[in-house]
């Protein structure tokens, strides 16, 4: 989550284009973020849209990256010889 102040639509689009092309540079990072929804607020989790009522405290916690998971920017793990039909990509049969 990268918060930034309310802005005109063209500024949001410009920031999104810059983020997609050149990146936003180093951004602050936190393991936990908490705020209070002042009015009913929709959110999306795993494709499902839900809503929290007004005056609800919302806490977002970031799970640590496990050794078998990789960031999207990391290259895929190397194939393991003799891994079978999955070409060594970690697929369990």
């Amino acid at each position: 989550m990268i918060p930034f102040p309310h802005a005109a639509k063209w500024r949001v689009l410009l920031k999104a284009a810059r983020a997609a092309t050149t990146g936003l540079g180093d951004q602050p990072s936190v393991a936990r973020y908490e705020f209070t929804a002042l009015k009913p607020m929709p959110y999306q989790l795993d494709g499902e849209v839900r809503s929290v009522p007004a005056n609800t405290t919302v806490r977002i916690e970031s799970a640590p990256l496990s050794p078998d998971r990789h960031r999207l920017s990391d290259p895929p793990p190397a194939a393991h010889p003799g891994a079978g039909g999955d070409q060594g990509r970690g697929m369990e049969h």
Side-chain angles (χ1 to χ4, degrees):
M1 181 169 147
I2 300 173
F4 53 93
H6 179 76
K9 287 181 185 178
W10 68 270
R11 284 193 186 263
V12 174
L13 289 173
L14 181 63
K15 182 167 242 162
R18 187 175 53 194
T21 56
T22 61
L24 294 174
D26 289 337
Q27 295 293 312
S29 175
V30 295
R32 187 169 94 182
Y33 183 77
E34 187 172 297
F35 62 93
T36 301
L38 301 177
K39 58 184 182 179
M41 183 180 79
Y43 66 94
Q44 185 172 349
L45 183 64
D46 291 337
E48 187 174 339
V49 177
R50 297 180 176 197
S51 184
V52 294
N55 300 313
T56 299
T57 300
V58 178
R59 180 183 306 139
I60 301 166
E61 294 184 352
S62 192
L65 196 61
S66 65
D68 61 331
R69 305 243 359 220
H70 302 279
R71 290 180 179 86
L72 292 175
S73 61
D74 290 346
H80 300 289
D86 65 359
Q87 304 301 316
R89 294 195 179 126
M91 300 294 289
E92 297 288 330
H93 295 289

